[in-house]
């Protein structure tokens, strides 16, 4: 009897510790791998069924083993044997599993040790007999499948199985071998001399290998089952770092840490080597990333599509307190998480003209492009947590077309031909170009069309691989528009159906209206995206024709319903008339989508009553809302492992990582002194990490006894960082004028602000400068000491957020009511037990319902009060405290008097559009309430626990389940073990 090369080492289970059942599937042995390979050949193989009755020799038990109870199974070549064993022994630990093959007798011998969930041997006869019978029934209950590929001899098939005899193992020794293999052959460094970054690269490739296994099997499973698939179209994905999230979702963090430790490296140090994939601006982009994680975890058949920007969101450099932008060269050292698919590319056309031709006796339009660019696919596997399902994020990069500029070559203008080809790559170079100029608008439109054209070509190709009737398209495809950036896809799909598939207009329109769903993140009508008509005509001439046809049909339908109300017709038209004609992208999306979603209940009301009131009155059934959420895997498990362990201890399970509603049971322990003590220790550890980072980054040493008061998000007037700074100035002014005895009663604060200002947004940049000017004054005032510090964190990104959020005591979300569509930042802080100081805006209203207003610090005008206050703003005198702090800035108390003049002008003399003065008194009262609560440590800790306990509703898992059921019509398609 010979031992095959697929013999198994000690079984390591990837499931949560509390549910650990030591599954054979976690080791991924030969039968599982063969099973996966069988799926690969589903459409090209002939299957021969063997009768199962001849496949089992025996199941025997050896009770006298030193450790555990040994089971020995003898069976003929039987597919699915090990998964059957796994199912029977769920809830037990399986270790020291081996598989041998007797070539003479043609059967396998599988031997493994079994203990119960507590690690004890199984000795009572009743249990042993029950397990033995269950194993016999499970193994005999199915049919064995042997694969024979048409035209492929059995010997060659078996040889292929031998070469791919199993999945990669996850034990530390196997991981070490893979890491060293990648050090030598991928990174091309000696395994005896490599540094932290090279070790990170090798580890990442090793983890990616495991993702690819799961990715292949998931895609083959989807292909076999042919479910309705979701295609998530977003121009922005703020993914952050991939290593930490991947090892958590794969369940191999401990194994990786152990493997690296034995090689002389620290996992945490290597994880820090990874740069952020900053392919987005803010909340919308990070939301996309969270939703991809939830789609994978919940086993939904889905793909994400976006752009692979050469340069991500700019790096923020602070020089003398002023923001400067530098390119984010995030691809300089490669990206180990992506797979370049050079064979997956599609031509994308621009410019040119349209002519009519007769095809099969019918007139049709033919677009003759003036420029063609190739879209090349880069795949990024997205693993789910607690499942083998791994879905895909496909990003497109622009490359020169294979076609030559014949005219330039013929005239000898070789240089011009090369330059024109290089222009193609500009399309995917820069994230969100400045679109204030015509050139910027043109590049933006080309980016939008480039990514949706390539994506739709890919989607239609995948559909046609399995189907030949486009009437089935809505039953197999759901297309999600993440805001208006991908809106041109509705026109592109119409063009493909009309001009390439030669379907009728009515049939094409019926298909389009059944597949698209639209989620908008806009709260102000004037902020809705518009594209100049002449730009459309130049860049996408055929699409403009289709838009005109869509709009004409819509206007005719609308006239029949509302009559000749030309004012309303003009408001609802896709084409905006005027001195400059524009295409309204939001109107286009609404007309062509079967569902329009808001991102919070408050946002939904704004859509119905202000932003899209006309459309809501016409199609009330189209409008829904799904409150945004964030993934607890990233924002607790990855970013706050200490809190993760504490929650699991008190809930006595790790199941909350998947079923986040279980967090609500923390309420039962919120007043427990033991929990509170441990909760405070976790917070202190996280504050220590943040304090070290602040000192390293800025040189400011902060006290751990102080309240860490944080506002991190994009710098914008409506987000009111200016209000925060004015509040800090007021606190400073009060402390400065106090008697020494009164200062001892002051609650010390470390005020932390972080965020990037858009490059062309001068007021936002002045807010950043003011923050630094005020910090310079306060942090160097010996009268103040540790009672107050102000810190600005530069180059804020996902990785910085993972450090800042767990270390925060108080988080500010203080936008003017009615301006925040949802606000996912507050949800991340909430999950980490940070108390919120907020206005009743966006999703905050729903957070209040979950945890109670008494556990938050709510202030400011309500959404329905804002319009009235703006009308009266010129006649209402701002409070004295507000006028005093603004005067301090205006008079140059913090320097730069002339520079800050225009900033002060935005809140004085009847120009306070965002109501800083109106809300200032209420804001100070909320801050005072936070001070009083912080003094009572037990009360504060209880409020913190209740915040985490009430955060389950704001998981992206819940958001995705709502979308799947109510909007997309998709169902889970779980990859079997």
């Amino acid at each position: 009897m010979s031992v095959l090369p697929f013999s198994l080492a000690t079984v390591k289970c990837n499931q949560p510790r509390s549910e650990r059942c030591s599954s054979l599937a976690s080791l991924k042995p030969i039968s599982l791998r063969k099973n996966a390979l069988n799926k690969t050949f589903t459409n090209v193989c002939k299957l021969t069924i063997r009768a199962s009755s001849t496949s089992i020799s025996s199941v025997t038990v050896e009770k006298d083993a030193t450790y555990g109870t040994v089971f020995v199974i003898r069976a003929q070549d039987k597919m699915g044997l090990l998964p059957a064993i796994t199912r029977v022994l769920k809830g037990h630990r399986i270790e020291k599993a081996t598989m041998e093959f007797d070539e003479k007798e043609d059967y396998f011998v599988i031997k493994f040790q079994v203990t119960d969930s507590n690690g004890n041997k199984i000795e009572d006869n009743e249990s042993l007999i029950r397990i033995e019978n269950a194993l016999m029934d499970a193994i005999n209950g199915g049919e064995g499948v042997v694969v024979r590929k048409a035209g492929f001899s059995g010997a060659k098939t078996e040889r292929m199985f031998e070469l791919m005899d199993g999945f990669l193992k996850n034990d530390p020794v196997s991981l070490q071998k893979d890491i060293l293999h990648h050090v030598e052959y991928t990174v091309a460094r000696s395994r005896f001399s490599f540094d932290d970054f090279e070790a990170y690269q090798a580890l990442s490739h090793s983890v990616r290998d495991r993702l690819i296994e799961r990715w292949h099997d998931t895609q083959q499973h989807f292909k076999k089952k042919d479910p309705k698939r979701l295609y998530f179209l977003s121009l922005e994905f703020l993914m952050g770092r991939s290593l930490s999230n991947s090892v958590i979702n794969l369940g191999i963090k401990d194994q990786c840490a152990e493997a690296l430790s034995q090689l002389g490296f620290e996992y945490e140090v290597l994880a820090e080597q990874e740069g952020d994939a900053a392919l987005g601006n803010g909340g919308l982009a990070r939301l996309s990333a969270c939703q991809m994680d939830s789609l994978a975890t919940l086993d939904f058949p889905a793909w994400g599509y976006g752009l692979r920007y050469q340069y991500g969101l700019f790096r923020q450099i602070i020089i003398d307190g002023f923001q400067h932008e530098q390119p984010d060269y995030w691809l300089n050292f490669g990206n180990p998480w992506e797979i370049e698919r050079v064979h997956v590319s599609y031509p994308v056309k621009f410019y040119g003209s349209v002519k009519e031709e007769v095809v099969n006796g019918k007139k049709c339009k033919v677009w003759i492009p003036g420029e063609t660019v190739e879209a090349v696919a880069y795949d990024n596997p997205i693993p789910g947590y607690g499942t083998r399902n791994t879905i895909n994020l496909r990003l497109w990069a622009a490359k020169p077309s294979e076609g030559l500029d014949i005219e330039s070559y013929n005239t000898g203008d070789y240089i011009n031909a090369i330059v024109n080809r290089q222009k193609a790559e500009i399309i995917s170079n820069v994230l969100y170009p400045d679109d204030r100029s015509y050139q910027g608008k043109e590049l933006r439109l080309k980016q939008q069309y480039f990514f949706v054209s390539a994506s739709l070509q890919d989607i239609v190709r995948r559909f046609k691989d399995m189907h030949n009737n486009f009437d089935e398209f809505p039953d197999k495809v759901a297309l999600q528009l993440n805001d208006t950036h991908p809106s041109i896809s509705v026109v592109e799909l119409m063009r493909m159906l009309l001009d390439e598939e030669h379907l009728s207009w009515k049939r094409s329109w019926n298909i389009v209206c059944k597949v698209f769903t639209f989620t908008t993140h806009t709260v102000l009508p004037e902020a809705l995206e518009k594209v100049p008509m002449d730009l459309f005509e130049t860049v996408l001439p055929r699409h403009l024709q289709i838009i005109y046809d869509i709009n004409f049909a819509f206007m005719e339908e609308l006239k029949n319903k509302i009559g000749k109300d030309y004012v309303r017709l003009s408001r609802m038209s896709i084409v905006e008339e005027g001195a400059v004609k524009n295409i309204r992208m939001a109107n286009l999306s609404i007309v062509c989508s079967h569902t329009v979603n808001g991102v919070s209940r408050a946002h939904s009301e704004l859509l119905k009553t202000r932003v899209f009131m006309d459309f809501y009155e016409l199609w009330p059934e189209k409008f829904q809302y799904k409150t945004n959420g964030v993934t607890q895997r990233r924002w607790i498990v990855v970013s706050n492992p200490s809190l993760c362990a504490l929650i699991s201890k008190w809930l006595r399970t790790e199941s909350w990582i998947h079923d986040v509603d279980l967090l609500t049971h923390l309420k039962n322990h919120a007043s427990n002194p033991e929990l509170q003590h441990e909760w405070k220790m976790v917070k202190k550890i996280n504050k220590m990490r943040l304090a070290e980072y602040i000192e390293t980054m800025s040189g400011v040493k902060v006290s751990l006894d102080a309240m860490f008061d944080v506002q991190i998000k994009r710098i914008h007037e409506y987000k009111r960082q200016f209000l925060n700074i004015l509040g800090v100035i007021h606190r400073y002014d009060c402390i400065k004028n106090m008697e020494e005895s009164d200062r001892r009663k002051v609650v010390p604060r470390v005020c932390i602000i972080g965020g990037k200002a858009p490059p062309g947004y001068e007021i936002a940049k002045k807010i950043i400068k003011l923050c630094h000017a005020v910090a310079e004054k306060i942090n160097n005032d010996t009268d103040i000491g540790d009672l107050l510090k102000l810190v600005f964190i530069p180059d804020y990104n996902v990785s910085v957020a993972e450090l800042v959020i767990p270390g925060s005591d108080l988080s500010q979300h203080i936008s003017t009511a009615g301006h925040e569509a949802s606000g996912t930042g507050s949800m991340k802080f909430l999950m980490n037990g940070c108390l919120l100081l907020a206005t009743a805006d966006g999703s905050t209203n729903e957070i209040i319902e979950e945890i109670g207003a008494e556990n938050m610090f709510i202030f400011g005008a309500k959404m329905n009060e804002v319009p009235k206050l703006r009308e009266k703003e010129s006649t209402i005198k701002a409070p004295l405290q507000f006028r005093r702090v603004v005067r301090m800035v205006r008079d140059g108390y913090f320097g730069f008097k002339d520079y800050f003049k225009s900033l002060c002008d935005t809140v004085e003399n009847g120009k306070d559009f965002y109501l800083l003065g109106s809300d200032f008194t209420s804001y100070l009262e909320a801050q005072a309430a936070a001070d009083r609560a912080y003094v009572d440590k037990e009360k504060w800790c209880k409020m913190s626990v209740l915040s985490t306990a009430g955060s389950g509703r704001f998981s992206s898992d819940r958001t995705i389940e709502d979308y799947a059921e109510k909007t997309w019509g998709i169902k889970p398609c779980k990859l079997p073990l």
Side-chain angles (χ1 to χ4, degrees):
M1 185 179 292
S2 61
V3 179
L4 294 183
F6 49 76
S7 296
L8 305 182
T10 301
V11 175
K12 295 277 188 176
C13 185
N14 293 334
Q15 296 174 359
R17 290 187 182 86
S18 62
E19 302 172 356
R20 185 161 288 177
C21 62
S22 192
S23 164
L24 280 174
S26 69
L27 242 189
K28 301 165 277 200
I30 181 172
S31 292
L32 293 183
R33 188 54 177 166
K34 282 187 177 181
N35 220 19
L37 288 172
N38 285 344
K39 296 171 190 174
T40 304
F41 298 119
T42 297
N43 296 320
V44 294
C45 295
K46 295 179 180 178
L47 302 182
T48 303
I49 308 299
R50 284 184 181 171
S52 61
S53 59
T54 64
S55 63
I56 294 296
S57 279
S58 64
V59 177
T60 57
V61 181
E62 299 176 4
K63 293 191 291 184
D64 298 331
T66 305
Y67 174 76
T69 305
V70 175
F71 284 79
V72 181
I73 296 178
R74 297 173 182 270
Q76 288 185 335
D77 186 3
K78 172 81 177 168
M79 302 300 294
L81 182 60
L82 295 182
I85 297 170
T86 300
R87 288 192 295 273
V88 170
L89 294 173
K90 185 175 182 181
H92 296 75
R93 294 184 180 180
I94 306 171
E95 296 184 327
K96 298 184 179 178
T98 61
M99 181 185 291
E100 299 176 343
F101 183 67
D102 190 316
E103 297 175 352
K104 294 181 179 179
E105 299 297 328
D106 190 30
Y107 61 76
F108 288 96
V109 177
I110 302 176
K111 193 172 184 178
F112 49 89
Q113 292 183 351
V114 179
T115 60
D116 63 20
S117 58
N118 296 318
N120 301 318
K121 293 174 65 173
I122 302 171
E123 296 181 308
D124 63 288
N125 289 330
E126 183 178 349
S127 296
L128 291 173
I129 292 171
R130 186 170 65 251
I131 293 173
E132 183 177 347
N133 290 338
L135 286 171
M136 290 289 290
D137 290 343
I139 295 168
N140 284 323
E143 294 181 319
V145 181
V146 178
V147 177
R148 293 292 182 266
K149 186 177 180 182
F152 204 28
S153 71
K156 288 184 178 180
T157 302
E158 291 302 319
R159 178 58 178 160
M160 181 186 68
F161 284 149
E162 289 177 14
L163 293 172
M164 297 183 66
D165 62 0
F167 289 89
L168 295 171
K169 301 183 182 71
N170 293 328
D171 60 283
V173 173
S174 299
L175 283 164
Q176 286 173 345
K177 290 179 180 178
D178 289 347
I179 291 168
L180 293 178
H181 175 87
H182 281 294
V183 164
E184 190 127 344
Y185 299 108
T186 303
V187 185
R189 292 287 291 170
S190 167
R191 62 182 62 195
F192 302 105
S193 177
F194 58 101
D195 60 21
D196 286 342
F197 181 71
E198 290 154 352
Y200 152 73
Q201 289 181 306
L203 173 63
S204 297
H205 279 96
S206 301
V207 174
R208 192 191 75 166
D209 290 345
R210 286 154 174 80
L211 294 180
I212 290 173
E213 287 180 336
R214 293 166 178 246
W215 186 91
H216 282 148
D217 290 349
T218 302
Q219 300 312 312
Q220 288 301 323
H221 183 63
F222 289 169
K223 188 172 184 179
K224 177 182 177 182
K225 294 295 184 180
D226 191 27
K228 183 177 184 179
R229 301 196 198 194
L230 166 72
Y231 296 101
F232 191 90
L233 306 177
S234 179
L235 204 54
E236 300 181 27
F237 287 91
L238 202 54
M239 302 304 294
R241 292 171 173 166
S242 293
L243 174 60
S244 52
N245 196 67
S246 296
V247 298
I248 289 292
N249 280 11
L250 289 174
I252 60 173
K253 181 180 178 181
D254 292 343
Q255 295 94 316
C256 287
E258 183 179 345
L260 291 167
S261 177
Q262 293 174 8
L263 293 175
F265 294 91
E266 293 183 33
Y267 167 78
E268 288 76 12
V269 173
L270 298 197
E272 291 292 324
Q273 301 297 314
E274 183 177 0
D276 269 41
L279 306 184
N281 284 283
L284 177 146
R286 182 55 225 170
L287 173 69
S288 301
C290 285
Q291 291 183 334
M292 290 298 294
D293 177 89
S294 291
L295 283 165
T297 297
L298 298 174
D299 302 310
F300 286 114
W303 279 59
Y305 282 103
L307 268 184
R308 180 183 180 266
Y309 300 101
Q310 185 74 22
Y311 305 102
L313 184 61
F314 65 87
R315 288 185 61 220
Q316 182 190 53
I317 306 297
I318 304 296
I319 301 175
D320 296 329
F322 293 95
Q323 171 179 299
H324 296 267
E325 301 85 31
Q326 288 187 354
D328 175 23
Y329 301 104
W330 76 287
L331 289 173
N332 263 12
F333 299 99
N335 177 17
W337 300 103
E338 67 183 10
I339 303 129
E340 183 181 15
R341 304 291 193 187
V342 292
H343 62 288
V344 180
S345 66
Y346 298 96
V348 179
K349 301 178 287 188
F350 299 101
Y351 308 114
S353 59
V354 181
K355 67 177 184 178
E356 277 194 357
E357 288 186 357
V358 177
V359 177
N360 296 328
K362 295 182 179 179
K363 289 184 178 181
C364 64
K365 303 286 187 180
V366 177
W367 181 15
I368 310 300
E371 175 182 288
T372 302
V373 176
E374 287 293 319
V376 177
Y378 287 78
D379 287 344
N380 299 261
I382 309 294
Y385 176 86
T387 176
R388 288 188 57 79
N389 278 46
T390 299
I391 61 175
N392 193 42
L393 171 61
R394 176 161 284 180
L395 303 177
W396 301 104
K399 305 291 183 183
S401 172
E402 290 300 317
L404 300 178
D405 186 347
I406 300 298
E407 182 178 351
S408 295
Y409 276 100
N410 287 343
T411 59
D413 192 355
Y414 168 77
I415 298 299
N416 187 54
I418 298 299
V419 169
N420 287 339
R421 295 191 62 180
Q422 288 177 337
K423 286 180 181 178
E425 298 181 357
I426 294 176
I427 292 174
S428 59
N429 267 4
V430 183
L431 169 67
Y432 215 106
D434 187 348
D435 57 1
R436 290 175 296 177
S437 66
Y438 182 88
Q439 292 79 6
K441 292 181 188 296
E442 181 181 27
L443 177 55
R444 189 65 173 163
L445 178 60
K446 292 181 74 172
Q447 283 186 340
Q448 292 176 351
Y449 177 67
F450 171 81
F451 116 80
V452 301
S453 173
S455 301
L456 284 173
Q457 289 182 71
D458 199 41
I459 293 164
V460 169
R461 185 268 308 162
R462 190 173 296 111
F463 172 80
K464 291 172 72 173
D465 283 347
M466 303 288 290
H467 307 273
N468 54 21
N469 182 359
F470 267 95
D471 292 332
E472 298 174 5
F473 196 72
D475 298 325
K476 296 299 178 182
V477 172
L479 295 169
Q480 169 66 22
L481 305 177
N482 192 29
D483 218 1
T484 56
H485 307 145
S487 296
I488 190 63
S489 58
V490 299
V491 189
E492 172 66 357
L493 182 57
M494 278 295 292
R495 186 196 66 80
M496 294 173 71
L497 296 176
L498 291 169
D499 299 354
E500 296 178 8
E501 303 300 330
H502 304 296
L503 273 60
S504 68
W505 176 275
K506 182 178 180 180
R507 191 177 171 196
S508 300
W509 179 247
N510 185 52
I511 292 169
V512 166
C513 291
K514 288 181 179 179
V515 297
F516 282 102
T517 59
F518 171 49
T519 296
T520 177
H521 301 259
T522 306
V523 294
L524 298 174
E526 56 268 26
L528 294 171
E529 183 180 14
K530 300 174 184 178
V531 178
M533 187 270 288
D534 60 340
L535 177 61
F536 235 114
E537 188 173 29
T538 301
V539 179
L540 301 171
R542 176 61 180 133
H543 295 75
L544 183 62
Q545 292 179 347
I546 294 173
I547 288 174
Y548 277 141
D549 290 340
I550 292 173
N551 195 52
F552 177 79
F554 172 55
M555 288 290 102
E556 291 302 304
E557 176 189 353
L558 200 55
K559 288 176 186 176
N560 292 333
K561 291 185 176 181
I562 69 171
K564 297 181 179 181
D565 183 347
Y566 291 108
V567 174
R568 186 178 177 190
L569 288 169
S570 176
R571 289 198 304 264
M572 297 179 72
S573 174
I574 297 170
V575 180
E576 180 185 52
E577 302 291 341
V580 177
K581 283 189 176 182
N582 291 298
I583 305 301
R584 295 170 169 145
M585 305 306 284
N587 290 21
L588 175 65
S589 300
I590 295 172
V591 170
C592 301
S593 297
H594 64 78
T595 306
V596 179
N597 277 286
V599 291
S600 71
R601 188 172 60 225
H603 182 228
S604 177
E605 291 304 310
L606 285 174
L607 296 182
K608 295 175 182 178
T609 59
R610 186 170 72 185
V611 185
F612 300 132
M613 181 178 63
D614 292 319
F615 287 99
Y616 175 69
E617 291 176 357
L618 178 66
W619 294 313
E621 71 282 358
K622 275 193 180 188
F623 285 79
Q624 302 177 4
Y625 79 90
K626 315 287 189 301
T627 300
N628 284 343
V630 299
T631 169
Q632 63 274 17
R633 267 85 57 184
R634 169 75 71 169
W635 296 108
I636 300 181
V637 183
V638 172
S639 65
N640 200 343
S642 299
L643 182 62
C644 175
L646 180 59
I647 293 172
S648 298
K649 172 188 173 181
W650 282 88
L651 295 182
R652 298 184 179 181
T653 180
E654 290 180 346
S655 297
W656 64 269
I657 300 174
H658 192 282
D659 184 5
V660 75
D661 287 338
L662 294 175
L663 286 177
T664 190
H665 295 300
L666 285 173
K667 294 178 182 178
N668 301 330
H669 308 289
S671 300
N672 188 308
E674 185 181 349
L675 170 66
Q676 288 202 2
H677 173 72
E678 294 175 0
W679 198 272
K680 292 172 190 174
M681 289 303 298
V682 167
K683 179 62 70 174
K684 187 172 183 178
I685 290 169
N686 289 325
K687 289 176 73 170
M688 289 173 62
R689 291 171 54 220
L690 179 53
E692 290 175 3
Y693 177 78
I694 289 172
E695 186 173 5
T696 302
M697 175 270 302
S698 66
V700 178
K701 191 173 182 64
V702 299
S703 169
L704 296 180
D705 294 327
M707 180 199 299
F708 281 21
D709 174 0
V710 176
Q711 186 183 20
I712 46 174
K713 50 187 68 199
R714 282 184 301 120
I715 309 297
H716 199 291
E717 287 174 273
Y718 87 81
K719 294 182 183 290
R720 301 204 292 191
Q721 285 92 350
F722 191 17
L723 174 62
N724 188 352
I725 296 170
L726 292 175
V728 172
I729 295 172
H730 173 77
R731 179 176 290 265
Y732 169 70
D733 188 43
C734 289
I735 296 173
K736 189 75 172 171
N737 291 291
M738 279 181 183
E739 296 293 334
E740 186 64 32
S741 58
D742 291 329
R743 288 182 184 174
R744 298 192 189 101
K745 302 175 186 176
V746 173
V747 175
R749 288 266 188 132
V750 176
C751 299
I752 301 167
I753 296 176
K756 297 178 179 179
Y761 196 170
E762 288 302 319
I763 292 297
K765 287 188 170 183
K766 290 187 177 185
I767 291 172
I768 291 176
K769 175 57 183 175
L770 178 63
C771 181
H772 284 87
V774 174
E776 181 73 18
K777 189 79 168 179
I778 294 175
N779 297 343
N780 293 298
D781 192 328
T782 55
D783 292 339
I784 303 301
D786 286 337
L787 291 180
L788 183 62
K789 298 290 184 185
L790 177 59
V791 178
F792 185 88
I793 293 183
D795 204 33
Y796 170 66
N797 55 29
V798 175
S799 299
V800 174
E802 290 174 15
L803 177 68
V804 174
I805 291 173
S808 303
D809 294 307
L810 183 72
S811 174
Q812 297 197 38
H813 305 274
I814 57 178
S815 56
T816 310
H819 285 74
E820 195 74 77
S822 176
T824 52
S826 59
M827 302 170 188
K828 300 164 192 172
F829 283 97
L830 192 72
M831 284 183 174
N832 283 270
C834 180
L835 273 57
L836 306 184
L837 189 151
T839 50
D841 196 19
S843 60
T844 301
N845 297 287
E846 292 161 71
I847 294 176
I848 293 172
E849 292 176 2
E850 289 299 305
I851 69 172
E854 68 276 10
N855 294 306
M856 303 170 65
F857 307 101
I858 304 299
F859 78 97
K862 303 295 189 292
M863 192 166 66
N864 62 325
E865 298 171 344
V866 169
K868 297 176 184 177
L869 287 170
R870 281 181 174 152
E871 289 177 8
K872 300 177 182 178
E873 205 278 325
S874 60
T875 62
I876 298 176
K877 197 170 186 180
L880 178 63
Q881 294 165 315
F882 181 76
R883 285 180 282 137
R884 174 173 172 78
V885 293
V886 174
R887 181 59 56 184
M888 290 173 69
V889 177
R890 186 180 287 280
D891 290 347
Y893 187 87
F894 303 99
F896 303 93
K897 177 179 178 180
D898 293 337
Y899 183 73
F900 293 135
K901 180 181 181 300
S902 60
L903 179 59
C904 294
D905 288 342
T906 64
V907 296
E908 290 188 321
N909 304 320
K911 299 178 182 177
D912 188 8
F913 183 78
Y914 295 105
L915 304 180
L916 278 68
S918 177
D919 283 352
F920 193 67
T921 300
S922 178
Y923 177 69
L924 295 182
E925 290 171 353
Q927 290 283 13
D931 283 335
R932 291 191 295 271
Y934 192 74
V935 173
D936 187 343
K937 298 299 182 184
E938 286 67 32
K939 177 183 178 181
W940 186 275
C941 188
K942 181 180 179 180
M943 294 169 71
S944 175
V945 175
L946 291 174
S947 295
T948 300
S951 65
R953 176 178 168 183
F954 306 101
S955 167
S956 52
D957 291 354
R958 188 266 316 145
T959 308
I960 289 301
E961 286 176 335
D962 283 354
Y963 269 111
E965 178 185 353
K966 300 173 184 176
T967 301
W968 299 328
I970 59 173
K971 298 183 182 299
C973 188
K974 186 176 178 64
L975 177 66
L977 293 176

